[in-house]
Amino acid sequence: MVSPVEKWVAEQTGLGAQLNPQTLSEWQHHRLKDALQYARQNTVFYANRLEPNKPLNEQPFTLPADLAHSPLAFLAIPQTEVARVTTLAHSGTTSLRKRIFFSEGDLKRTRAFFTVGMSSMVSSGDRVHILISNRTENSLGSLLHDSILSLGATARVFPTIRSVGEAVEAAQWAHCIVGMPAEILYLCRTAPHLHPHSVLLAADIAPPSVVKGIRSTWQCPVYTHHGHTEFGYGFAVDCQHHNGLHTRDAEVIVEVIDPITNLPTEPNELGEIVVTTLTNEAMPLVRYRTGNLTRPVVGPCGCGGTLHRLSGVEGRLWSNITLSNGKTLNIFQLDEAIFSHSAIRGFNATLIRGKSETLRLTIDAIQPVDLAQLKAELSLGIDVTIEPGNADPFRRREKRRITEHLR
Ligand SMILES: [Zn+2]
């Protein structure tokens, strides 16, 4: 069965059986003109920047810093019509925060996209337990919750969980568990007796070793979703064939560019995800540089889908730390290497910087681990100290990162 996302694109665009990469591209570029016009007429930020008659690759980029510096300059509707505002930390500074606005229509479109994405993994009568976000009105958790109800399934969003013990309790009896990758891996290696029928990893990067670890322990399909609050949370999700994430093509235009040359990357080459919204009412965005790195997947998916697919997010531009020996370090490479050990359920990483660096790892293992071998595998060329300890991610509830300290 073709991915529900592609079926939805066929319906939304009205292209039906005529839908293919070429007709989609023509449809998107026809829509683009209206979207550029809308952004130019209704926002302070884009008023003098866009030229709706020029093609997309001649429009300027929008940076996350632009959004952080003047969020109201992006607001295209009266403040009284804003249905939700979300505040996000802006990477690189602690003081600036991005404010993201949504209209009622934006939230409705998000719920509809979530329903489409969830239909791959949830059937009528299933119980879906959502271990992320919170129950406030229109939060990610509550939008997901509402979208699941329209599939005839039941959904529960749990109050903030503060330990793996609470997470085990919350995950009991779930047919489908939705949560952050490192948290669900920790839960699964702590409670292999749970038997969900499917898992959806969301809200942070899901390294292949985490997906594989959960799949082999719980023996169930593991889906990944890549979302962006800026575009209404929902963005790309895989289908039952797990061969790349199908993107929300009826509502966004996705580009993958080389962050140095700003030109499109070759198929299967790593590049930055750049997104233009076609339907955002409250906050239209044009060529927004996400800083997230992915590869465009070529060839049809096992489901028969032929539209855009992304390999999944493989890192973030701003999360690379350059070491004094010239090598780079980021949390995703550590996650991929360390979580591939089935004995390890969690770890924390701290980089102590001075003339040289020391990486301190606190490893939370359920069985003995060969630490010398683990150090050798990391092959960072810097001091690595490893100590056993508790690394329950439910105590921190944040995206994965390396903590940095000056010596
Ligand atoms: Zn597919």
Side-chain angles (χ1 to χ4, degrees):
M1 186 185 81
V2 72
S3 149
V5 175
E6 288 212 15
K7 269 173 76 182
W8 169 83
V9 174
E11 284 163 21
Q12 293 294 306
T13 56
L15 288 165
Q18 310 302 314
L19 178 68
N20 60 47
Q22 181 61 32
T23 55
L24 174 70
S25 168
E26 287 160 12
W27 181 89
Q28 284 183 327
H29 287 88
H30 179 69
R31 279 301 168 102
L32 174 68
K33 225 177 209 184
D34 293 344
L36 295 176
Q37 201 71 264
Y38 176 82
R40 203 167 83 137
Q41 284 169 355
N42 295 289
T43 71
V44 172
F45 184 81
Y46 290 119
N48 299 311
R49 284 172 201 252
L50 303 178
E51 294 187 54
N53 288 322
K54 288 196 171 171
L56 184 61
N57 63 6
E58 292 182 30
Q59 308 296 337
F61 290 111
T62 305
L63 304 177
D66 297 327
L67 205 51
H69 280 113
S70 48
L72 284 173
F74 288 84
L75 184 62
I77 58 173
Q79 288 210 40
T80 49
E81 289 176 24
V82 172
R84 178 175 172 80
V85 184
T86 295
T87 305
L88 292 177
H90 172 52
S91 301
T93 78
T94 46
S95 56
L96 275 179
R97 299 181 79 77
K98 290 183 280 191
R99 282 161 72 204
I100 314 297
F101 304 98
F102 302 94
S103 70
E104 204 50 68
D106 294 334
L107 296 172
K108 201 174 146 193
R109 280 184 287 279
T110 290
R111 279 190 288 265
F113 181 74
F114 280 165
T115 302
V116 170
M118 293 302 293
S119 69
S120 288
M121 62 204 91
V122 170
S123 307
S124 173
D126 281 355
R127 287 182 296 269
V128 183
H129 291 195
I130 301 165
L131 308 191
I132 43 173
S133 183
N134 56 50
R135 290 184 292 188
T136 22
E137 195 185 357
N138 295 327
S139 65
L140 168 61
S142 89
L143 290 166
L144 198 52
H145 169 273
D146 296 351
S147 74
I148 288 161
L149 300 187
S150 49
L151 292 169
T154 58
R156 279 186 71 187
V157 186
F158 287 81
T160 309
I161 292 167
R162 297 190 191 282
S163 70
V164 72
E166 290 179 23
V168 173
E169 193 112 318
Q172 299 277 356
W173 315 117
H175 292 115
C176 174
I177 297 173
V178 181
M180 290 173 81
E183 293 183 355
I184 300 301
L185 182 76
Y186 195 91
L187 171 66
C188 133
R189 287 183 173 160
T190 303
H193 60 277
L194 295 173
H195 285 295
H197 299 173
S198 63
V199 166
L200 173 65
L201 302 178
D204 201 0
I205 293 177
S209 64
V210 170
V211 173
K212 212 170 137 193
I214 298 169
R215 192 187 293 142
S216 65
T217 302
W218 279 342
Q219 295 286 312
C220 70
V222 177
Y223 293 83
T224 56
H225 171 256
H226 175 52
H228 272 278
T229 307
E230 290 91 324
F231 322 127
Y233 302 108
F235 177 64
V237 65
D238 59 353
C239 69
Q240 291 169 345
H241 293 267
H242 309 290
N243 182 16
L245 312 189
H246 294 267
T247 52
R248 193 175 172 176
D249 290 334
E251 295 178 341
V252 296
I253 298 181
V254 183
E255 297 172 85
V256 181
I257 64 161
D258 178 321
I260 310 288
T261 65
N262 293 341
L263 295 171
T265 56
E266 296 297 321
N268 293 323
E269 289 285 314
L270 201 60
E272 181 182 2
I273 303 175
V274 174
V275 176
T276 299
T277 64
L278 295 174
T279 52
N280 270 21
E281 284 172 346
M283 190 174 248
L285 292 168
V286 177
R287 304 195 86 196
Y288 182 78
R289 295 187 69 147
T290 64
N292 288 331
L293 300 169
T294 193
R295 294 167 207 272
V297 177
V298 282
C301 182
C303 70
T306 57
L307 307 181
H308 302 111
R309 285 182 350 269
L310 305 178
S311 65
V313 177
E314 298 186 29
R316 293 196 182 95
L317 273 180
W318 50 77
S319 60
N320 269 348
I321 300 170
T322 304
L323 302 172
S324 53
N325 63 14
K327 291 192 176 186
T328 55
L329 174 68
N330 64 57
I331 189 66
F332 315 109
Q333 84 193 66
L334 292 181
D335 280 359
E336 181 55 18
I338 297 174
F339 286 138
S340 66
H341 290 258
S342 58
I344 299 174
R345 61 177 175 173
F347 74 94
N348 294 328
T350 304
L351 184 69
I352 318 286
R353 311 195 76 158
K355 271 189 185 161
S356 62
E357 298 96 347
T358 302
L359 180 68
R360 257 189 222 160
L361 297 173
T362 305
I363 298 275
D364 189 337
I366 48 174
Q367 282 162 17
V369 177
D370 183 341
L371 298 181
Q373 191 202 332
L374 182 62
K375 272 190 203 179
E377 278 169 18
L378 294 175
S379 94
L380 292 168
I382 58 168
D383 271 351
V384 178
T385 63
I386 300 182
E387 55 186 31
N390 184 294
D392 179 351
F394 290 98
R395 292 181 173 188
R396 291 164 69 130
R397 306 297 330 250
E398 60 182 16
K399 290 192 190 223
R400 301 280 299 159
R401 64 188 180 89
I402 296 171
T403 309
E404 287 185 73
H405 284 314
L406 284 178
R407 209 186 287 274

